[in-house]
Amino acid sequence: MKLFVKELVEKIASYLSPFKRLLFISLAAWIIHACLRAFLLFRVNPYGFPFVSKPDWYIFHAICFDFIWICNALVIFAIIGGALNRLTNGKKINLKISTIVTVIYAAFHSVLLFLTYLDHELLRFLGCHLSIGLVSTYKDTSSVMMFGDYSANDNSIPFIHFFIFALLLPATYGVYRFIKSHKFSLKKCIISMLCFYVASYAFVNFIWTGNARATKLRPVIALLYNEIFESHKKNEISNEQLQQFAKTYQNLWQKVEGDSLWHFSSEGPGDKMPLYRIPTQELLQSEKLQAQRLQKPNFILVFMESHRGMNVGFLNPDLKPSPTPYYDSIATYSRIWERMHTSGLPTTGGVLSTHIGIPHHSTLAQATDLAHVTLPSFASVLTDSGYTTHYFSAADPAWDNLGVWMSKWYSAQHYDRNHEDDSTFFDHAISYVNDTLAKQEKPFLATLMTRSNHYPFNFAAGMSDEEKQKPHTERIKYTMNYADRQLARFMRSIEKKDWFQNTYVIIMADHGFPLGENGISTMNGGGFSNATWIPFLIYGKGIEVGRDTATAAQIDIAPTILELAGIAVPNIFMGHNLLRGYGEGLSLGAYLNAAAVGYNGLRLIEKYPLGNHDVDGLFAEEDTHQKNNLAESLVEEARKHTELLDSLIRLSDYTLEKGI
């Protein structure tokens, strides 16, 4: 083995010897990329807040990602150079070919360095990567003219961007000259690079993985590859299809809503936005809506991390003991929806679709890829209507780019690395809600995102080593119970306050989690109820206590909250007001490689984008644990649901990409 490795290294060194300048350029480019990464991750964003709250969780991955793609590029260019040399039939490398390949390689890295820094600044300012969609959005000259103002008002270092751009190539060339001037052993250099390449690959793919981090740190070369080679795979919608999908959706929406208090507009934004609907004068002048608006109610929305409907007591009467006794108790004097489903996975999908009333994008990493798109949420509408809106998160919102979206919609965000346990997190929320938000003259919205019940379900404070060694199906009971106790502390600290009498409390989950049901134990396994069925309740003044069995989804929450606030504004929510009291139910969601629609008493789950129409499952809505798959016996119903699902998801994807 040792002899084999030695011979391999000698062959590689012999092959690369004529192209050693490529190796030096690669190392120089990698060092500069590492500096740019550090300059991005350890600096504040333009608004004075840390770009990421845990730069130590990113920097080593960033360095490894860059090393991997730079080495891959080196190999490709070296192979091209060797192939060109063979075509010349020269016994020795043709110096002219070597020079040409080196110059092209240097130009290749020069362009990527500039694009990389531009991508970094876009991430800081907009929260999204460089893309054709972004360029299309900001292609007008006014956007370019604003760049100077943005640079001048950067709360990091004003105008530093111009200096970095000017120094990129000189700095890279300086590093290159330094490396070249030292007599490095080519063999030792190759061995070191091979070892670091293997270590980097293992580190980012096996040792410490993270899809959200990988998306945030995606190299420009990967972005360019996706734009060039993957864009053709996108499902483009023709004008004829758009009109067809719009008609299907609008007719269905009106049927499910059950009244005519909204109408879809073909003017203004509605010209190219089939989801755009506006309230009628009848709705705006209704006594009920005006009374709710005069009430100026507060809202507390709590996302309970990974709270599966399958493990919540009030949804499963036979579950003894229940991991969620407090949640169960508050459900007895609340309005609950027994068949509530997520509209996206994982947390980014659930949280974003709840806010904007549209399912998560079926193929894109929406939180990052579409951060440049303007998509109003119920929180932004409340903010614009005079509410003080605060987003509290026990997990770092910068991790999956949620912080970028919340900064668009909320007055303020709260995250502290020392408050990641639900106990300390709720302590901070209790203090701030009682001592600050409740004492302001404005009504408020406080949205809380918990953490302790997160996979691998061992984050609950006080868990014994024995408990942490149990299977996930057992561990989740401990962590859900722990989160439930912290929720109880929070609620008991505020429920006796005077302001609480004018407050609506909404408690739900961001998503569930598959733990082996349907043969699936990972989040990308489909849209089955183990991952999508979640608890949901509303408690507050005037809310009728009871259980609702109509199918519902997170896209319904935004219009419901605004209805409770007495606010009716033009919007693009695909969901419905859950308190309307009439009409049928509709649930819709796009997940990781799957999508689902619930309508007419049946819930269809199917791989998405659609391929060979192999249905994952068709279940009766009352079969919440999905034990009886009806796909083979109800073929025609499955076909109709598939057509409906495709129309709605393609329309929602289109809307997410276009914005408003």
Side-chain angles (χ1 to χ4, degrees):
M1 183 66 180
K2 184 176 180 181
L3 181 61
F4 171 77
V5 172
K6 183 178 180 180
E7 291 179 355
L8 178 63
V9 171
E10 287 180 350
K11 288 182 179 180
I12 295 175
S14 175
Y15 184 86
L16 284 179
S17 181
F19 299 105
K20 60 184 178 182
R21 285 182 296 176
L22 299 185
L23 189 146
F24 297 153
I25 292 172
S26 299
L27 291 175
W30 177 55
I31 291 171
I32 298 301
H33 274 283
C35 293
L36 290 178
R37 293 286 200 175
F39 193 57
L40 169 69
L41 296 172
F42 289 91
R43 194 163 47 128
V44 298
N45 67 17
Y47 317 106
F49 302 101
F51 176 70
V52 291
S53 301
K54 300 176 180 178
D56 51 313
W57 281 32
Y58 293 84
I59 186 62
F60 299 110
H61 288 77
I63 290 172
C64 291
F65 282 132
D66 288 334
F67 190 80
I68 290 171
W69 78 258
I70 288 174
C71 285
N72 291 343
L74 170 63
V75 171
I76 291 172
F77 273 84
I79 291 174
I80 291 174
L84 290 174
N85 176 58
R86 283 183 173 274
L87 290 175
T88 63
N89 296 319
K91 294 182 179 179
K92 293 185 178 180
I93 189 73
N94 187 307
L95 294 179
K96 187 175 181 180
I97 291 177
S98 175
T99 301
I100 292 174
V101 172
T102 301
V103 170
I104 294 175
Y105 190 61
F108 166 78
H109 274 293
S110 298
V111 171
L112 287 182
L113 278 170
F114 283 119
L115 291 178
T116 294
Y117 188 60
L118 177 59
D119 180 59
H120 287 185
E121 289 305 300
L122 289 172
L123 279 170
R124 290 182 66 245
F125 277 95
L126 300 176
C128 62
H129 283 293
L130 181 64
S131 67
I132 293 176
L134 176 73
V135 174
S136 177
T137 300
Y138 295 98
K139 61 187 176 184
D140 58 278
T141 55
S142 61
S143 299
V144 178
M145 297 298 292
M146 290 295 293
F147 187 70
D149 291 335
Y150 288 141
S151 300
N153 292 284
D154 191 334
N155 282 334
S156 173
I157 306 174
F159 298 112
I160 190 65
H161 326 289
F162 302 107
F163 291 98
I164 298 297
F165 270 115
L167 291 173
L168 272 179
L169 292 187
T172 308
Y173 182 71
V175 174
Y176 166 77
R177 294 291 299 178
F178 175 80
I179 295 173
K180 186 179 178 182
S181 65
H182 287 67
K183 303 297 182 180
F184 291 110
S185 167
L186 188 58
K187 292 181 182 180
K188 290 182 179 180
C189 192
I190 291 171
I191 292 174
S192 299
M193 291 181 69
L194 283 172
C195 290
F196 194 75
Y197 184 95
V198 173
S200 297
Y201 188 86
F203 181 63
V204 300
N205 289 289
F206 302 104
I207 298 174
W208 194 5
T209 61
N211 290 332
R213 174 170 43 216
T215 299
K216 202 176 192 74
L217 299 177
R218 193 183 302 160
V220 163
I221 190 70
L223 298 172
L224 294 174
Y225 178 87
N226 289 336
E227 292 286 350
I228 295 172
F229 297 104
E230 298 293 327
S231 59
H232 69 281
K233 297 181 180 179
K234 295 179 181 178
N235 291 321
E236 298 293 339
I237 298 180
S238 66
N239 288 332
E240 182 180 352
Q241 287 177 314
L242 185 61
Q243 293 176 7
Q244 177 186 342
F245 294 157
K247 184 177 180 180
T248 298
Y249 162 73
Q250 292 173 4
N251 290 338
L252 178 64
W253 191 92
Q254 292 286 11
K255 181 180 180 182
V256 172
E257 186 71 8
D259 61 36
S260 57
L261 297 178
W262 294 84
H263 70 265
F264 292 93
S265 174
S266 59
E267 302 176 357
D271 181 37
K272 296 182 179 179
M273 298 190 62
L275 304 188
Y276 189 77
R277 56 187 171 89
I278 59 178
T280 62
Q281 286 300 312
E282 180 185 357
L283 175 60
L284 293 174
Q285 296 172 5
S286 68
E287 293 182 2
K288 180 180 179 181
L289 194 73
Q290 292 181 13
Q292 285 294 116
R293 191 175 182 89
L294 288 174
Q295 182 182 326
K296 295 182 179 180
N298 306 305
F299 291 91
I300 294 177
L301 170 62
V302 183
F303 286 96
M304 301 297 288
E305 172 68 52
S306 300
H307 267 50
R308 301 173 5 127
M310 291 183 170
N311 287 92
V312 174
F314 68 82
L315 295 177
N316 302 275
D318 296 332
L319 184 61
K320 306 293 182 183
S322 169
T324 58
Y326 178 76
Y327 204 174
D328 302 342
S329 68
I330 199 173
T332 60
Y333 49 91
S334 303
R335 179 76 172 271
I336 69 172
W337 279 260
E338 295 184 353
R339 299 169 191 170
M340 171 64 72
H341 292 272
T342 61
S343 293
L345 294 172
T347 298
T348 51
V351 171
L352 288 178
S353 58
T354 297
H355 278 78
I356 64 177
I358 302 175
H360 191 266
H361 199 283
S362 65
T363 58
L364 297 178
Q366 181 177 325
T368 301
D369 294 338
L370 298 177
H372 62 284
V373 178
T374 300
L375 291 166
S377 73
F378 74 83
S380 65
V381 173
L382 290 177
T383 303
D384 294 341
S385 301
Y387 274 70
T388 297
T389 54
H390 286 242
Y391 180 73
F392 299 78
S393 181
D396 182 5
W399 167 254
D400 45 22
N401 221 46
L402 274 180
V404 171
W405 294 83
M406 301 309 154
S407 65
K408 299 178 183 182
W409 299 331
Y410 285 83
S411 307
Q413 296 184 68
H414 299 255
Y415 166 73
D416 189 322
R417 192 169 184 173
N418 297 314
H419 296 160
E420 291 192 333
D421 179 82
D422 282 358
S423 175
T424 54
F425 167 69
F426 274 118
D427 284 342
H428 170 69
I430 289 169
S431 174
Y432 199 89
V433 170
N434 279 325
D435 299 338
T436 303
L437 295 183
K439 294 182 178 180
Q440 296 180 352
E441 295 183 1
K442 293 182 176 181
F444 67 83
L445 161 68
T447 300
L448 286 66
M449 179 72 237
T450 68
R451 179 178 182 271
S452 290
N453 188 49
H454 195 285
Y455 178 86
F457 310 114
N458 58 7
F459 292 125
M463 281 186 72
S464 66
D465 291 338
E466 180 182 355
E467 291 169 343
K468 291 181 179 181
Q469 297 304 316
K470 290 187 175 183
H472 291 134
T473 51
E474 294 298 318
R475 290 211 298 264
I476 194 173
K477 297 176 184 178
Y478 291 102
T479 52
M480 285 183 69
N481 182 255
Y482 177 78
D484 189 71
R485 296 199 306 272
Q486 308 317 312
L487 172 67
R489 284 199 311 111
F490 171 72
M491 291 298 298
R492 287 164 182 160
S493 72
I494 63 176
E495 62 186 5
K496 300 298 183 183
K497 305 293 184 181
D498 291 340
W499 57 266
F500 187 77
Q501 305 310 311
N502 190 34
T503 300
Y504 290 107
V505 176
I506 301 170
I507 306 175
M508 58 182 294
D510 56 345
H511 55 76
F513 203 94
L515 293 175
E517 304 87 357
N518 307 102
I520 296 168
S521 57
T522 60
M523 288 296 280
N524 62 351
F528 293 100
S529 61
N530 49 18
T532 69
W533 182 36
I534 58 172
F536 177 83
L537 62 78
I538 302 177
Y539 165 78
K541 183 179 180 180
I543 298 295
E544 182 181 351
V545 176
R547 290 173 173 258
D548 198 313
T549 57
T551 187
Q554 286 172 329
I555 58 175
D556 298 320
I557 296 169
T560 303
I561 288 177
L562 292 185
E563 184 82 10
L564 287 171
I567 299 173
V569 295
N571 64 75
I572 54 174
F573 303 142
M574 291 186 78
H576 302 265
N577 169 27
L578 291 171
L579 298 167
R580 63 193 183 280
Y582 40 75
E584 300 181 47
L586 173 73
S587 60
L588 183 66
Y591 313 115
L592 301 170
N593 306 315
V597 61
Y599 179 64
N600 242 2
L602 294 172
R603 182 168 178 81
L604 173 85
I605 305 167
E606 192 158 355
K607 293 285 190 299
Y608 204 88
L610 298 178
N612 54 10
H613 297 283
D614 286 338
V615 176
D616 283 347
L618 182 68
F619 302 94
E621 286 285 4
E622 61 266 23
D623 182 12
T624 50
H625 287 250
Q626 296 180 338
K627 294 182 178 180
N628 184 21
N629 192 340
L630 304 173
E632 293 185 0
S633 59
L634 299 177
V635 177
E636 181 61 18
E637 285 81 354
R639 184 190 64 78
K640 291 179 180 179
H641 272 63
T642 296
E643 292 177 353
L644 177 63
L645 176 66
D646 191 43
S647 298
L648 297 179
I649 293 299
R650 292 185 69 182
L651 189 57
S652 66
D653 282 354
Y654 169 86
T655 304
L656 291 173
E657 293 169 22
K658 299 297 181 182
I660 190 171

